Amino acid sequence: MSGKEDISISVIKRLPRYYRFLQSLKENGIVRISSKELAARMGLTASQIRHDFNCFGGFGQQGYGYNVPELHSKIGEILCVNTEIKTILIGAGNLGKAVTNKIFSKKSGFKLIGIFDKNEALCGNMIKGIPVRNINYLENFCIDNSPICAVTCIPSTDMREITDLLVKVGIKSFWNFSTYDIAMEHPDVLVENVHLTDSLLTLGYLTNTSLNESED
Ligand code: NAI
């Protein structure tokens, strides 16, 4: 088994997908699966799956395959889904609301403890039982509650000021939906950027390429 620091980021990035597939197998009452069958369902190869799981010590048994609930729970442990990293969200607009309602309602290892917006009209509204607070209270809230992670759902134009403040009050990781490049200014924090448009542009390229090929 490799040390955690030796495991490549591409293996780590595949774990959520394994977790999701296993969750669905578990919900469908499937208790046991071979690496071959799991690979076929996921569009991977069995050796890729064995290689990925071997990074964590390997979970299967020769001749048995994998126990689905056990594997699901072990991958969940690796992804730390049972921890509750204290998280705040900035920007209670369309995206912020959707992220709160649709993502933070599921077990992810993150616990949303505060939502902030600069629009006074939104302050006091409840989203998933959490009050939207005025952004003016951000600094004091962070000092009192020590959140570790911030989700940024505000326009890039406002990001610099907010990010500088968040880093100053101890935020260590960002789930960033804006196009602002946090890592440029703050190379020491963790940043996971999410850009749905990038995914759509990739699909556009692939769709157009395949249409052009079929015309040739
Ligand atoms: P929205 O206009 O519905 O909400 C933005 C909210 O941020 C507003 O409530 C506004 O008052 C608040 N806000 C702005 N500056 C602030 C500040 N300094 N402090 C606290 N709150 C502040 O916009 P929406 O649709 O929710 O999008 C938010 C941002 O996310 C936009 O910049 C948009 O470009 C981006 N976006 C990114 C996506 C992605 O895939 N990464 C997808 C959709 C939107």
Side-chain angles (χ1 to χ4, degrees):
M1 177 161 84
S2 325
K4 262 191 176 174
E5 62 285 358
D6 300 332
I7 296 164
S8 78
I9 190 71
S10 45
V11 175
I12 308 288
K13 282 193 177 262
R14 280 196 289 274
L15 291 181
R17 186 158 177 257
Y18 288 126
Y19 188 68
R20 182 159 45 82
F21 263 78
L22 289 159
Q23 169 100 34
S24 137
L25 292 175
K26 199 176 125 184
E27 282 164 7
N28 285 304
I30 296 170
V31 175
R32 176 178 165 182
I33 194 162
S34 66
S35 50
K36 202 170 153 197
E37 200 186 338
L38 183 59
R41 285 178 186 247
M42 295 188 66
L44 299 169
T45 64
S47 68
Q48 165 99 80
I49 288 187
R50 283 194 295 268
H51 163 271
D52 286 352
F53 293 169
N54 279 341
C55 296
F56 303 96
F59 306 125
Q61 280 170 37
Q62 198 78 36
Y64 177 88
Y66 299 106
N67 177 295
V68 170
E70 227 171 72
L71 184 57
H72 176 256
S73 144
K74 281 186 176 157
I75 294 181
E77 269 171 41
I78 295 166
L79 290 170
C80 305
V81 296
N82 295 318
T83 59
E84 291 194 329
I85 297 170
K86 286 199 255 176
T87 302
I88 52 173
L89 182 139
I90 319 296
N94 294 312
L95 185 62
K97 266 189 245 152
V99 167
T100 303
N101 284 319
K102 299 293 171 192
I103 300 186
F104 281 102
S105 58
K106 297 189 185 120
K107 207 172 186 184
S108 61
F110 292 82
K111 183 176 166 59
L112 195 58
I113 60 165
I115 301 176
F116 297 86
D117 203 286
K118 74 174 181 185
N119 181 350
E120 190 59 51
L122 296 178
C123 298
N125 287 355
M126 302 294 281
I127 312 177
K128 277 274 163 190
I130 302 172
V132 177
R133 291 182 168 86
N134 192 300
I135 194 73
N136 296 335
Y137 297 119
L138 179 64
E139 186 164 2
N140 281 343
F141 182 92
C142 291
I143 291 166
D144 291 346
N145 296 282
S146 312
I148 301 293
C149 176
V151 185
T152 47
C153 299
I154 56 174
S156 299
T157 43
D158 285 57
M159 276 293 290
R160 186 184 192 126
E161 189 188 342
I162 294 290
T163 311
D164 289 352
L165 174 61
L166 289 170
V167 172
K168 192 181 103 187
V169 293
I171 292 293
K172 304 276 183 261
S173 64
F174 285 83
W175 200 28
N176 176 34
F177 285 82
S178 79
T179 48
Y180 179 74
D181 192 343
I182 298 174
M184 283 284 281
E185 290 294 325
H186 300 285
D188 296 337
V189 298
L190 294 167
V191 183
E192 185 68 25
N193 293 304
V194 185
H195 299 306
L196 297 178
T197 315
D198 290 3
S199 169
L200 191 61
L201 288 172
T202 309
L203 181 64
Y205 170 81
L206 295 172
T207 307
N208 282 299
T209 311
S210 90
L211 288 177
N212 291 340
E213 276 169 5
S214 61
E215 277 170 15
D216 288 342

